[in-house]
Amino acid sequence: MTSSTIHLTLAEAEKLVTATLVAAGTRRENAQSVATALVSAEAEGQVGHGFSRLADYIAQVRSGKVDGYAIPGCSTDGEAALTIDACNGFAYPALDLAVRAGTAAAQRYGCASVAVTRSHHCGSLSVQVDKIARQGMIGLMVANAPAAIAPWGASVPVFGTNPIAFAAPRKTGEPLVIDLSLSKVARGKVMHAKKNGQSIPEGWAVDADGLPTTDPDAALAGSMLPMGGPKGTALALMVEILAAILPAANPSRSVASFFTADGPPSGSGQFLLVLKPSDPGAFMDRLEPTLTLISELDGARLPGERRTAAITSARQNGINVPKHYVDQLRETAGQIV
C-alpha cells in the first residue's frame, strides 16, 4: 500500500459506501444494494465499476437523475416471463429483485426470463450471474448502455458497450463465471483513467475523427473499438434487442450518460435468463471434464480464474482504494469509517 491508497476490509468498504449514499439522499436498503454490488466489483478487480463510480452516483442522486428512493416493482408477462421496473432508480435493487424472482420462477418452471426497464448503470454483470449459479442454476445476463460503439464500417456510435455475462454452477469450488464487454475493454476503464489523469493504451478507442487515441477524453468523445471487429457489433445488436427493445427500455442512442448529473434518467435496460438443469448433479458431472481439460492444457486457463483469485484475496486481505475516492466519500458521509 502507498500513501495514495487506503486499505479497507470489504465490510468497511460496504459500510462507507452505504453511509455515503444515504447521506446523499438514498433509501438505506437501496444504498446497501449499491454498496454490495460496487464493493464486489472492486474486489474482483473491476475498478471501473467500483469506487470510481460513487462521485457520479452521488451527483445523480442529488440532481434527481437517479431516484434514490425508488422501489422496483415486478410484473408477470407469463408464468416464467417477468418484467422489472427499476422506476428510474439504481439498477442494483432492481437486479436483486430480478435474481430473486427469476430463480424462484426457474425453480418452478425450469427456466425464466427477466426483462428490466427504466434502469441505470448495472456495473459488473458477473456479480449478478454469480448469484444465480450459486443456487445451482445457469445464468445469462446482457445490458445496454449509452452509445459508445459505432456499427462496423461507420463512425457514429449506436451501441453501448453492451456487456454479456454467463455463469454455471460447479460441484466444487467457485462457479464458472464469464463476463465480457463487447468493446475491446469496458468503457468504465477509460473513465477510470480519465479520473486518475492516466492515458489509455492505443487500440482501445478512436477519437471523433476515427483516429486512434491514447487520450481518455478523446476516446469518450469518439468510439470504443468493438472486440472481434464486425462480429462484435453484431453481438452488440443482439444485446440491444434483448436488453433495450424487448423490455421497452431506451435504446443505447437515447440512454442518458451514466457519468453526468444533468439530463433525464438514463432509462437503460437489462435482460436475464435463468435455467434450471433438469438433473443438476448430473449436469455438473458432465460439465467438469470439459473444464478440467481446458485448465490442464499448457497455456490455457478457465475464464474467470483471475476474478476468483482476486475475490479470494480481497476477502482475506481487504482492498486498497485510491485515497481521493475514500476522502470524497468520507466527506459526503460526514464520518470516518
Side-chain angles (χ1 to χ4, degrees):
M1 184 179 72
T2 70
S3 59
S4 63
T5 63
I6 291 179
H7 183 80
L8 298 171
T9 67
L10 298 187
E12 288 171 339
E14 288 190 18
K15 182 179 178 182
L16 176 57
V17 174
T18 300
T20 302
L21 288 167
V22 168
T26 304
R27 181 170 164 262
R28 179 164 292 276
E29 291 82 353
N30 291 350
Q32 290 171 336
S33 175
V34 176
T36 299
L38 265 61
V39 173
S40 295
E42 193 81 34
E44 64 180 45
Q46 294 290 345
V47 294
H49 295 307
F51 273 76
S52 66
R53 293 282 177 166
L54 262 297
D56 299 323
Y57 282 9
I58 291 165
Q60 290 175 46
V61 168
R62 287 175 167 168
S63 73
K65 186 173 185 176
V66 172
D67 182 355
Y69 284 87
I71 300 176
C74 179
S75 62
T76 304
D77 302 319
E79 291 182 331
L82 311 172
T83 298
I84 305 293
D85 186 352
C87 299
N88 293 324
F90 285 113
Y92 308 107
L95 291 171
D96 289 344
L97 177 57
V99 170
R100 288 197 305 271
T103 52
Q107 188 67 41
R108 182 174 182 182
Y109 300 112
C111 67
S113 67
V114 190
V116 183
T117 190
R118 293 207 297 168
S119 193
H120 188 250
H121 172 251
C122 64
S124 181
L125 275 62
S126 57
V127 172
Q128 309 303 331
V129 294
D130 180 87
K131 298 174 188 175
I132 296 169
R134 290 182 185 280
Q135 297 186 56
M137 302 183 195
I138 297 168
L140 175 71
M141 180 178 173
V142 296
N144 83 325
I149 299 177
W152 190 252
S155 59
V156 178
V158 172
F159 307 117
T161 52
N162 289 17
I164 300 173
F166 172 90
R170 301 178 68 179
K171 274 196 170 177
T172 60
E174 299 293 307
L176 172 71
V177 178
I178 301 169
D179 185 358
L180 52 92
S181 167
L182 295 182
S183 54
K184 285 189 176 180
V185 297
R187 199 165 187 240
K189 291 185 177 180
V190 178
M191 180 55 71
H192 180 70
K194 169 184 168 68
K195 291 181 178 180
N196 286 277
Q198 300 168 343
S199 61
I200 61 172
E202 189 168 317
W204 281 14
V206 294
D207 64 18
D209 295 321
L211 300 174
T213 183
T214 59
D215 180 348
D217 287 302
L220 292 169
S223 175
M224 301 295 293
L225 290 173
M227 72 167 197
K231 294 179 181 179
T233 53
L235 286 171
L237 175 58
M238 291 167 56
V239 171
E240 191 78 2
I241 292 168
L242 290 173
I245 296 172
L246 180 64
N250 282 341
S252 289
R253 64 185 181 276
S254 300
V255 173
S257 173
F258 292 151
F259 298 119
T260 61
D262 58 340
S266 295
S268 59
Q270 292 96 35
F271 177 81
L272 296 89
L273 184 65
V274 184
L275 302 172
K276 178 189 175 185
S278 58
D279 52 351
F283 162 77
M284 288 184 273
D285 286 340
R286 294 193 300 272
L287 173 63
E288 207 57 32
T290 298
L291 302 185
T292 299
L293 172 63
I294 294 170
S295 63
E296 290 179 349
L297 289 173
D298 288 342
R301 64 178 178 86
L302 287 176
E305 284 185 348
R306 291 176 183 171
R307 171 184 177 271
T308 298
I311 291 172
T312 299
S313 175
R315 287 172 179 165
Q316 295 173 350
N317 307 311
I319 52 178
N320 294 325
V321 181
K323 183 177 183 297
H324 64 278
Y325 289 153
V326 178
D327 288 344
Q328 282 180 328
L329 301 184
R330 286 175 171 169
E331 182 180 354
T332 301
Q335 64 183 47
I336 302 297
V337 179

